[in-house]
PDB file of all heavy atoms in Angstrom:
ATOM      1  N   ALA C   1      53.128 -52.532  14.785  1.00 81.00           N
ATOM      2  CA  ALA C   1      51.952 -52.243  13.956  1.00 81.00           C
ATOM      3  C   ALA C   1      51.350 -53.542  13.412  1.00 81.00           C
ATOM      4  O   ALA C   1      50.127 -53.691  13.337  1.00 81.00           O
ATOM      5  CB  ALA C   1      52.326 -51.310  12.810  1.00 81.00           C
ATOM      6  N   LEU C   2      52.210 -54.469  13.050  1.00 81.00           N
ATOM      7  CA  LEU C   2      51.751 -55.766  12.536  1.00 81.00           C
ATOM      8  C   LEU C   2      51.216 -56.653  13.649  1.00 81.00           C
ATOM      9  O   LEU C   2      50.300 -57.450  13.432  1.00 81.00           O
ATOM     10  CB  LEU C   2      52.909 -56.511  11.861  1.00 81.00           C
ATOM     11  CG  LEU C   2      53.175 -56.280  10.388  1.00 81.00           C
ATOM     12  CD1 LEU C   2      54.449 -56.991   9.973  1.00 81.00           C
ATOM     13  CD2 LEU C   2      52.011 -56.706   9.528  1.00 81.00           C
ATOM     14  N   LEU C   3      51.805 -56.547  14.820  1.00 82.00           N
ATOM     15  CA  LEU C   3      51.517 -57.462  15.924  1.00 82.00           C
ATOM     16  C   LEU C   3      51.136 -56.703  17.193  1.00 82.00           C
ATOM     17  O   LEU C   3      51.834 -56.791  18.211  1.00 82.00           O
ATOM     18  CB  LEU C   3      52.755 -58.320  16.208  1.00 82.00           C
ATOM     19  CG  LEU C   3      53.379 -59.025  15.012  1.00 82.00           C
ATOM     20  CD1 LEU C   3      54.731 -59.585  15.365  1.00 82.00           C
ATOM     21  CD2 LEU C   3      52.454 -60.110  14.518  1.00 82.00           C
ATOM     22  N   PRO C   4      50.051 -55.947  17.153  1.00 81.00           N
ATOM     23  CA  PRO C   4      49.708 -55.154  18.336  1.00 81.00           C
ATOM     24  C   PRO C   4      49.463 -56.048  19.556  1.00 81.00           C
ATOM     25  O   PRO C   4      48.794 -57.073  19.468  1.00 81.00           O
ATOM     26  CB  PRO C   4      48.435 -54.414  17.921  1.00 81.00           C
ATOM     27  CG  PRO C   4      47.885 -55.192  16.779  1.00 81.00           C
ATOM     28  CD  PRO C   4      49.054 -55.863  16.112  1.00 81.00           C
ATOM     29  N   GLY C   5      50.058 -55.663  20.676  1.00 79.00           N
ATOM     30  CA  GLY C   5      49.817 -56.374  21.930  1.00 79.00           C
ATOM     31  C   GLY C   5      50.643 -57.622  22.154  1.00 79.00           C
ATOM     32  O   GLY C   5      50.618 -58.194  23.231  1.00 79.00           O
ATOM     33  N   GLU C   6      51.382 -58.077  21.132  1.00 70.00           N
ATOM     34  CA  GLU C   6      52.204 -59.288  21.298  1.00 70.00           C
ATOM     35  C   GLU C   6      53.585 -58.880  21.800  1.00 70.00           C
ATOM     36  O   GLU C   6      54.226 -58.014  21.231  1.00 70.00           O
ATOM     37  CB  GLU C   6      52.353 -60.044  19.978  1.00 70.00           C
ATOM     38  CG  GLU C   6      51.061 -60.581  19.401  1.00 70.00           C
ATOM     39  CD  GLU C   6      50.478 -61.746  20.190  1.00 70.00           C
ATOM     40  OE1 GLU C   6      51.095 -62.189  21.172  1.00 70.00           O
ATOM     41  OE2 GLU C   6      49.399 -62.207  19.832  1.00 70.00           O
ATOM     42  N   THR C   7      54.036 -59.506  22.871  1.00 74.00           N
ATOM     43  CA  THR C   7      55.356 -59.175  23.398  1.00 74.00           C
ATOM     44  C   THR C   7      56.319 -60.353  23.399  1.00 74.00           C
ATOM     45  O   THR C   7      57.504 -60.191  23.164  1.00 74.00           O
ATOM     46  CB  THR C   7      55.246 -58.618  24.835  1.00 74.00           C
ATOM     47  OG1 THR C   7      54.538 -59.558  25.634  1.00 74.00           O
ATOM     48  CG2 THR C   7      54.539 -57.267  24.846  1.00 74.00           C
ATOM     49  N   SER C   8      55.812 -61.550  23.650  1.00 82.00           N
ATOM     50  CA  SER C   8      56.697 -62.716  23.693  1.00 82.00           C
ATOM     51  C   SER C   8      57.216 -63.030  22.287  1.00 82.00           C
ATOM     52  O   SER C   8      56.450 -63.026  21.324  1.00 82.00           O
ATOM     53  CB  SER C   8      55.930 -63.908  24.283  1.00 82.00           C
ATOM     54  OG  SER C   8      56.054 -65.052  23.488  1.00 82.00           O
ATOM     55  N   PRO C   9      58.531 -63.294  22.156  1.00 80.00           N
ATOM     56  CA  PRO C   9      59.080 -63.610  20.830  1.00 80.00           C
ATOM     57  C   PRO C   9      58.370 -64.783  20.142  1.00 80.00           C
ATOM     58  O   PRO C   9      58.103 -64.721  18.941  1.00 80.00           O
ATOM     59  CB  PRO C   9      60.549 -63.930  21.110  1.00 80.00           C
ATOM     60  CG  PRO C   9      60.854 -63.207  22.376  1.00 80.00           C
ATOM     61  CD  PRO C   9      59.583 -63.228  23.176  1.00 80.00           C
ATOM     62  N   ASP C  10      58.063 -65.831  20.896  1.00 83.00           N
ATOM     63  CA  ASP C  10      57.388 -66.980  20.290  1.00 83.00           C
ATOM     64  C   ASP C  10      55.984 -66.617  19.823  1.00 83.00           C
ATOM     65  O   ASP C  10      55.560 -67.001  18.723  1.00 83.00           O
ATOM     66  CB  ASP C  10      57.315 -68.162  21.270  1.00 83.00           C
ATOM     67  CG  ASP C  10      58.672 -68.822  21.481  1.00 83.00           C
ATOM     68  OD1 ASP C  10      59.605 -68.541  20.688  1.00 83.00           O
ATOM     69  OD2 ASP C  10      58.800 -69.614  22.433  1.00 83.00           O
ATOM     70  N   ALA C  11      55.258 -65.885  20.652  1.00 85.00           N
ATOM     71  CA  ALA C  11      53.902 -65.469  20.273  1.00 85.00           C
ATOM     72  C   ALA C  11      53.949 -64.547  19.062  1.00 85.00           C
ATOM     73  O   ALA C  11      53.112 -64.651  18.159  1.00 85.00           O
ATOM     74  CB  ALA C  11      53.213 -64.773  21.444  1.00 85.00           C
ATOM     75  N   ARG C  12      54.942 -63.664  19.019  1.00 87.00           N
ATOM     76  CA  ARG C  12      55.076 -62.755  17.882  1.00 87.00           C
ATOM     77  C   ARG C  12      55.367 -63.530  16.597  1.00 87.00           C
ATOM     78  O   ARG C  12      54.796 -63.235  15.547  1.00 87.00           O
ATOM     79  CB  ARG C  12      56.190 -61.745  18.125  1.00 87.00           C
ATOM     80  CG  ARG C  12      55.844 -60.710  19.162  1.00 87.00           C
ATOM     81  CD  ARG C  12      56.981 -59.756  19.354  1.00 87.00           C
ATOM     82  NE  ARG C  12      56.494 -58.424  19.013  1.00 87.00           N
ATOM     83  CZ  ARG C  12      57.264 -57.388  18.810  1.00 87.00           C
ATOM     84  NH1 ARG C  12      58.569 -57.505  18.894  1.00 87.00           N
ATOM     85  NH2 ARG C  12      56.745 -56.218  18.517  1.00 87.00           N
ATOM     86  N   ALA C  13      56.255 -64.501  16.670  1.00 90.00           N
ATOM     87  CA  ALA C  13      56.602 -65.293  15.489  1.00 90.00           C
ATOM     88  C   ALA C  13      55.385 -66.057  14.980  1.00 90.00           C
ATOM     89  O   ALA C  13      55.100 -66.070  13.778  1.00 90.00           O
ATOM     90  CB  ALA C  13      57.747 -66.255  15.806  1.00 90.00           C
ATOM     91  N   PHE C  14      54.649 -66.675  15.887  1.00 90.00           N
ATOM     92  CA  PHE C  14      53.473 -67.445  15.470  1.00 90.00           C
ATOM     93  C   PHE C  14      52.397 -66.519  14.911  1.00 90.00           C
ATOM     94  O   PHE C  14      51.747 -66.835  13.921  1.00 90.00           O
ATOM     95  CB  PHE C  14      52.917 -68.271  16.642  1.00 90.00           C
ATOM     96  CG  PHE C  14      51.977 -69.337  16.200  1.00 90.00           C
ATOM     97  CD1 PHE C  14      52.431 -70.452  15.518  1.00 90.00           C
ATOM     98  CD2 PHE C  14      50.613 -69.220  16.445  1.00 90.00           C
ATOM     99  CE1 PHE C  14      51.557 -71.444  15.085  1.00 90.00           C
ATOM    100  CE2 PHE C  14      49.726 -70.197  16.011  1.00 90.00           C
ATOM    101  CZ  PHE C  14      50.207 -71.318  15.341  1.00 90.00           C
ATOM    102  N   ARG C  15      52.242 -65.349  15.501  1.00 89.00           N
ATOM    103  CA  ARG C  15      51.251 -64.381  15.010  1.00 89.00           C
ATOM    104  C   ARG C  15      51.649 -63.881  13.621  1.00 89.00           C
ATOM    105  O   ARG C  15      50.796 -63.698  12.746  1.00 89.00           O
ATOM    106  CB  ARG C  15      51.139 -63.231  16.000  1.00 89.00           C
ATOM    107  CG  ARG C  15      50.262 -62.099  15.581  1.00 89.00           C
ATOM    108  CD  ARG C  15      48.774 -62.407  15.757  1.00 89.00           C
ATOM    109  NE  ARG C  15      47.979 -61.340  15.205  1.00 89.00           N
ATOM    110  CZ  ARG C  15      47.707 -60.207  15.818  1.00 89.00           C
ATOM    111  NH1 ARG C  15      48.149 -59.992  17.038  1.00 89.00           N
ATOM    112  NH2 ARG C  15      47.003 -59.278  15.225  1.00 89.00           N
ATOM    113  N   LEU C  16      52.937 -63.650  13.405  1.00 91.00           N
ATOM    114  CA  LEU C  16      53.414 -63.223  12.085  1.00 91.00           C
ATOM    115  C   LEU C  16      53.116 -64.305  11.052  1.00 91.00           C
ATOM    116  O   LEU C  16      52.688 -64.003   9.937  1.00 91.00           O
ATOM    117  CB  LEU C  16      54.914 -62.918  12.156  1.00 91.00           C
ATOM    118  CG  LEU C  16      55.468 -61.886  11.201  1.00 91.00           C
ATOM    119  CD1 LEU C  16      54.719 -60.581  11.252  1.00 91.00           C
ATOM    120  CD2 LEU C  16      56.943 -61.657  11.459  1.00 91.00           C
ATOM    121  N   LEU C  17      53.316 -65.543  11.438  1.00 93.00           N
ATOM    122  CA  LEU C  17      52.983 -66.669  10.562  1.00 93.00           C
ATOM    123  C   LEU C  17      51.508 -66.620  10.173  1.00 93.00           C
ATOM    124  O   LEU C  17      51.152 -66.828   9.011  1.00 93.00           O
ATOM    125  CB  LEU C  17      53.314 -67.986  11.277  1.00 93.00           C
ATOM    126  CG  LEU C  17      52.878 -69.278  10.608  1.00 93.00           C
ATOM    127  CD1 LEU C  17      53.604 -69.484   9.292  1.00 93.00           C
ATOM    128  CD2 LEU C  17      53.138 -70.451  11.533  1.00 93.00           C
ATOM    129  N   LYS C  18      50.642 -66.333  11.130  1.00 91.00           N
ATOM    130  CA  LYS C  18      49.196 -66.261  10.871  1.00 91.00           C
ATOM    131  C   LYS C  18      48.840 -65.100   9.944  1.00 91.00           C
ATOM    132  O   LYS C  18      47.788 -65.101   9.318  1.00 91.00           O
ATOM    133  CB  LYS C  18      48.422 -66.102  12.191  1.00 91.00           C
ATOM    134  CG  LYS C  18      48.498 -67.298  13.094  1.00 91.00           C
ATOM    135  CD  LYS C  18      47.574 -68.353  12.598  1.00 91.00           C
ATOM    136  CE  LYS C  18      47.368 -69.430  13.637  1.00 91.00           C
ATOM    137  NZ  LYS C  18      46.738 -70.588  13.069  1.00 91.00           N
ATOM    138  N   GLU C  19      49.726 -64.100   9.867  1.00 91.00           N
ATOM    139  CA  GLU C  19      49.476 -62.927   9.027  1.00 91.00           C
ATOM    140  C   GLU C  19      49.827 -63.157   7.555  1.00 91.00           C
ATOM    141  O   GLU C  19      49.563 -62.295   6.717  1.00 91.00           O
ATOM    142  CB  GLU C  19      50.261 -61.714   9.552  1.00 91.00           C
ATOM    143  CG  GLU C  19      49.756 -61.183  10.876  1.00 91.00           C
ATOM    144  CD  GLU C  19      48.335 -60.645  10.779  1.00 91.00           C
ATOM    145  OE1 GLU C  19      48.000 -59.967   9.782  1.00 91.00           O
ATOM    146  OE2 GLU C  19      47.549 -60.929  11.709  1.00 91.00           O
ATOM    147  N   LEU C  20      50.447 -64.295   7.233  1.00 95.00           N
ATOM    148  CA  LEU C  20      50.750 -64.583   5.819  1.00 95.00           C
ATOM    149  C   LEU C  20      49.446 -64.729   5.050  1.00 95.00           C
ATOM    150  O   LEU C  20      48.551 -65.477   5.452  1.00 95.00           O
ATOM    151  CB  LEU C  20      51.570 -65.869   5.695  1.00 95.00           C
ATOM    152  CG  LEU C  20      53.008 -65.810   6.178  1.00 95.00           C
ATOM    153  CD1 LEU C  20      53.616 -67.202   6.200  1.00 95.00           C
ATOM    154  CD2 LEU C  20      53.833 -64.876   5.308  1.00 95.00           C
ATOM    155  N   LYS C  21      49.342 -64.014   3.935  1.00 96.00           N
ATOM    156  CA  LYS C  21      48.118 -64.021   3.133  1.00 96.00           C
ATOM    157  C   LYS C  21      48.410 -64.540   1.730  1.00 96.00           C
ATOM    158  O   LYS C  21      49.478 -64.272   1.164  1.00 96.00           O
ATOM    159  CB  LYS C  21      47.542 -62.604   3.017  1.00 96.00           C
ATOM    160  CG  LYS C  21      47.276 -61.923   4.332  1.00 96.00           C
ATOM    161  CD  LYS C  21      46.059 -62.467   5.011  1.00 96.00           C
ATOM    162  CE  LYS C  21      45.722 -61.657   6.241  1.00 96.00           C
ATOM    163  NZ  LYS C  21      45.522 -62.426   7.422  1.00 96.00           N
ATOM    164  N   LEU C  22      47.435 -65.243   1.189  1.00 97.00           N
ATOM    165  CA  LEU C  22      47.528 -65.720  -0.194  1.00 97.00           C
ATOM    166  C   LEU C  22      47.506 -64.522  -1.134  1.00 97.00           C
ATOM    167  O   LEU C  22      46.608 -63.684  -1.046  1.00 97.00           O
ATOM    168  CB  LEU C  22      46.357 -66.660  -0.494  1.00 97.00           C
ATOM    169  CG  LEU C  22      46.331 -67.279  -1.882  1.00 97.00           C
ATOM    170  CD1 LEU C  22      47.543 -68.177  -2.113  1.00 97.00           C
ATOM    171  CD2 LEU C  22      45.042 -68.075  -2.068  1.00 97.00           C
ATOM    172  N   VAL C  23      48.502 -64.420  -2.011  1.00 97.00           N
ATOM    173  CA  VAL C  23      48.557 -63.316  -2.969  1.00 97.00           C
ATOM    174  C   VAL C  23      48.502 -63.786  -4.422  1.00 97.00           C
ATOM    175  O   VAL C  23      48.135 -63.021  -5.312  1.00 97.00           O
ATOM    176  CB  VAL C  23      49.802 -62.411  -2.758  1.00 97.00           C
ATOM    177  CG1 VAL C  23      49.726 -61.691  -1.421  1.00 97.00           C
ATOM    178  CG2 VAL C  23      51.094 -63.189  -2.873  1.00 97.00           C
ATOM    179  N   ARG C  24      48.869 -65.057  -4.665  1.00 97.00           N
ATOM    180  CA  ARG C  24      48.897 -65.554  -6.043  1.00 97.00           C
ATOM    181  C   ARG C  24      48.734 -67.062  -6.048  1.00 97.00           C
ATOM    182  O   ARG C  24      49.236 -67.757  -5.170  1.00 97.00           O
ATOM    183  CB  ARG C  24      50.234 -65.212  -6.694  1.00 97.00           C
ATOM    184  CG  ARG C  24      50.388 -65.801  -8.088  1.00 97.00           C
ATOM    185  CD  ARG C  24      51.803 -65.622  -8.648  1.00 97.00           C
ATOM    186  NE  ARG C  24      51.972 -66.462  -9.804  1.00 97.00           N
ATOM    187  CZ  ARG C  24      52.532 -67.666  -9.799  1.00 97.00           C
ATOM    188  NH1 ARG C  24      53.018 -68.182  -8.698  1.00 97.00           N
ATOM    189  NH2 ARG C  24      52.626 -68.373 -10.905  1.00 97.00           N
ATOM    190  N   VAL C  25      48.041 -67.550  -7.093  1.00 98.00           N
ATOM    191  CA  VAL C  25      47.989 -68.982  -7.384  1.00 98.00           C
ATOM    192  C   VAL C  25      48.334 -69.137  -8.862  1.00 98.00           C
ATOM    193  O   VAL C  25      47.679 -68.548  -9.724  1.00 98.00           O
ATOM    194  CB  VAL C  25      46.595 -69.597  -7.110  1.00 98.00           C
ATOM    195  CG1 VAL C  25      46.612 -71.093  -7.431  1.00 98.00           C
ATOM    196  CG2 VAL C  25      46.147 -69.348  -5.680  1.00 98.00           C
ATOM    197  N   GLY C  26      49.380 -69.904  -9.132  1.00 97.00           N
ATOM    198  CA  GLY C  26      49.762 -70.203 -10.512  1.00 97.00           C
ATOM    199  C   GLY C  26      49.548 -71.678 -10.771  1.00 97.00           C
ATOM    200  O   GLY C  26      49.951 -72.508  -9.960  1.00 97.00           O
ATOM    201  N   LEU C  27      48.880 -71.992 -11.890  1.00 97.00           N
ATOM    202  CA  LEU C  27      48.643 -73.386 -12.259  1.00 97.00           C
ATOM    203  C   LEU C  27      49.478 -73.744 -13.487  1.00 97.00           C
ATOM    204  O   LEU C  27      49.568 -72.955 -14.434  1.00 97.00           O
ATOM    205  CB  LEU C  27      47.162 -73.625 -12.571  1.00 97.00           C
ATOM    206  CG  LEU C  27      46.276 -73.925 -11.377  1.00 97.00           C
ATOM    207  CD1 LEU C  27      46.072 -72.683 -10.547  1.00 97.00           C
ATOM    208  CD2 LEU C  27      44.952 -74.464 -11.826  1.00 97.00           C
ATOM    209  N   TYR C  28      50.060 -74.947 -13.441  1.00 96.00           N
ATOM    210  CA  TYR C  28      50.932 -75.453 -14.502  1.00 96.00           C
ATOM    211  C   TYR C  28      50.475 -76.871 -14.864  1.00 96.00           C
ATOM    212  O   TYR C  28      51.206 -77.840 -14.635  1.00 96.00           O
ATOM    213  CB  TYR C  28      52.390 -75.459 -14.028  1.00 96.00           C
ATOM    214  CG  TYR C  28      52.815 -74.137 -13.447  1.00 96.00           C
ATOM    215  CD1 TYR C  28      52.656 -73.860 -12.093  1.00 96.00           C
ATOM    216  CD2 TYR C  28      53.348 -73.149 -14.266  1.00 96.00           C
ATOM    217  CE1 TYR C  28      53.017 -72.636 -11.560  1.00 96.00           C
ATOM    218  CE2 TYR C  28      53.716 -71.916 -13.742  1.00 96.00           C
ATOM    219  CZ  TYR C  28      53.548 -71.669 -12.389  1.00 96.00           C
ATOM    220  OH  TYR C  28      53.904 -70.451 -11.871  1.00 96.00           O
ATOM    221  N   PRO C  29      49.270 -77.016 -15.413  1.00 95.00           N
ATOM    222  CA  PRO C  29      48.693 -78.352 -15.589  1.00 95.00           C
ATOM    223  C   PRO C  29      49.435 -79.258 -16.572  1.00 95.00           C
ATOM    224  O   PRO C  29      49.293 -80.473 -16.496  1.00 95.00           O
ATOM    225  CB  PRO C  29      47.271 -78.071 -16.073  1.00 95.00           C
ATOM    226  CG  PRO C  29      47.261 -76.665 -16.537  1.00 95.00           C
ATOM    227  CD  PRO C  29      48.362 -75.957 -15.828  1.00 95.00           C
ATOM    228  N   ASP C  30      50.238 -78.675 -17.470  1.00 91.00           N
ATOM    229  CA  ASP C  30      50.968 -79.541 -18.412  1.00 91.00           C
ATOM    230  C   ASP C  30      52.470 -79.297 -18.376  1.00 91.00           C
ATOM    231  O   ASP C  30      53.188 -79.550 -19.331  1.00 91.00           O
ATOM    232  CB  ASP C  30      50.393 -79.411 -19.831  1.00 91.00           C
ATOM    233  CG  ASP C  30      50.591 -78.032 -20.449  1.00 91.00           C
ATOM    234  OD1 ASP C  30      51.100 -77.117 -19.762  1.00 91.00           O
ATOM    235  OD2 ASP C  30      50.240 -77.862 -21.635  1.00 91.00           O
TER     236      ASP C  30
END
């Protein structure tokens, strides 16, 4: 479901990496 059409383990791993999304930014300026 996450990686439709990907079959090669390497391609799947790289595609999963591309699926990482920014969810939070925390700032600690001091």
Side-chain angles (χ1 to χ4, degrees):
L2 271 174
L3 309 168
E6 297 289 357
T7 55
S8 130
D10 288 347
R12 288 180 119 194
F14 196 71
R15 174 78 186 279
L16 209 53
L17 172 65
K18 293 282 194 193
E19 291 296 319
L20 289 171
K21 304 285 187 231
L22 182 63
V23 294
R24 175 188 166 263
V25 180
L27 275 72
Y28 309 89
D30 66 355

